[in-house]
Each structure stands twice: as C-alpha cells, then as structure tokens.
C-alpha cells in the first residue's frame, strides 16, 4: 500500500511539475473555478500526503511501515535465526529510506507550484 501511495503521490507531483513545461508547447488554460479547485483541494491533499509519508518513513520503531520498524523487525528475525526474512526486511528498509529524496523533491515541486500559481485572494 505504501508503494502505491508513494507512486500516486509522485505521479501527481510529476504532472503538476510538468504542467509549466507542457504549457510551453501547448497552452493549457484553466477557468478561474478550475484553478481555484486545484489550489484549494488538490494541492493541499498532495502536500499532506507527502508529509504523512515522510513522517511515516522517518517514524520510530513503533510506527508500522517506518524504516526503524523494518530494521527492528529484521533484527528480531535474525535473533530467531530467520536470516532470509531478516534480509528481506532489511532490503525493504533500505529501499524505503531511498524514497525520502523523491518525497522531498515532490514536496518542493508542489510548494513551488503553489507559490507561483496559487495566490491568496484568487
């Protein structure tokens, strides 16, 4: 589920980030209502989602799905001599921690887009 959430978030962030590049080729126009909806509904949801995923990944061992949780589970499996399971959990922890730069970049793109296109009072 985490992979799907991250993929959905990064896809949405990528689409938002590519909007200015795409507009250089083919102009995309939004009505004021569509623009307001994008700024009022979609961007806050995407920003919140990236924040929640980042917090979850950085969470402590008690947070299910966090890197610390996966590493603690791997260590527990090693103590029980279940090395294959421990290795799989360690690989998942490593892969998940590698997602943090992607999430940070997505959040920065969302913030940049919001700053450029979502002005207060629009």
């Amino acid at each position: 589920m985490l992979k799907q959430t991250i993929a959905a978030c990064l896809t949405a962030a990528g689409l938002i980030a590519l909007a200015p590049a795409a507009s250089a080729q083919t102009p995309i126009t939004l009505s004021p209502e569509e623009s307001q909806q994008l700024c009022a509904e979609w961007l806050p949801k995407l920003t919140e989602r990236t924040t929640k995923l980042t917090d979850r990944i950085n969470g402590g061992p008690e947070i299910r799905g966090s890197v610390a949780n996966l590493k603690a589970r791997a260590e527990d499996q090693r103590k029980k001599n279940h090395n294959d399971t421990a290795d799989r959990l360690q690989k998942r922890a490593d892969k998940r921690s590698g997602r943090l730069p992607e999430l940070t970049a997505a959040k920065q793109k969302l913030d940049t887009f919001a700053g450029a296109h979502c002005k207060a009072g629009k």
Side-chain angles (χ1 to χ4, degrees):
M1 174 137 178
L2 180 63
K3 287 181 186 179
Q4 293 170 344
T5 306
I6 290 173
C9 183
L10 293 176
T11 300
L15 291 175
I16 290 172
L18 292 176
S23 65
Q25 297 170 356
T26 306
I28 298 174
T29 56
L30 295 175
S31 69
E33 294 82 19
E34 291 171 330
S35 177
Q36 184 179 9
Q37 181 182 16
L38 176 72
C39 291
E41 295 178 21
W42 287 96
L43 285 177
K45 287 179 184 179
L46 291 172
T47 302
E48 181 182 355
R49 182 175 243 171
T50 57
T51 302
K52 282 184 178 181
L53 285 171
T54 302
D55 291 346
R56 182 176 180 187
I57 290 171
N58 288 328
E62 70 282 351
I63 305 295
R64 188 171 182 223
S66 69
V67 172
N69 177 269
L70 289 170
K71 287 182 178 182
R73 288 172 53 200
E75 187 60 36
D76 185 48
Q77 292 298 313
R78 281 195 211 299
K79 288 178 185 176
K80 295 177 182 177
N81 290 324
H82 299 181
N83 292 326
D84 291 340
T85 304
D87 290 341
R88 277 193 307 246
L89 288 168
Q90 184 62 45
K91 286 178 184 177
R92 282 176 57 192
D94 295 341
K95 186 174 181 179
R96 191 154 300 162
S97 65
R99 299 285 188 202
L100 286 173
E102 295 172 9
L103 287 169
T104 302
K107 177 119 171 51
Q108 288 174 347
K109 288 177 183 180
L110 289 169
D111 291 342
T112 301
F113 183 85
H117 301 289
C118 300
K119 306 292 182 202
K122 257 191 176 180

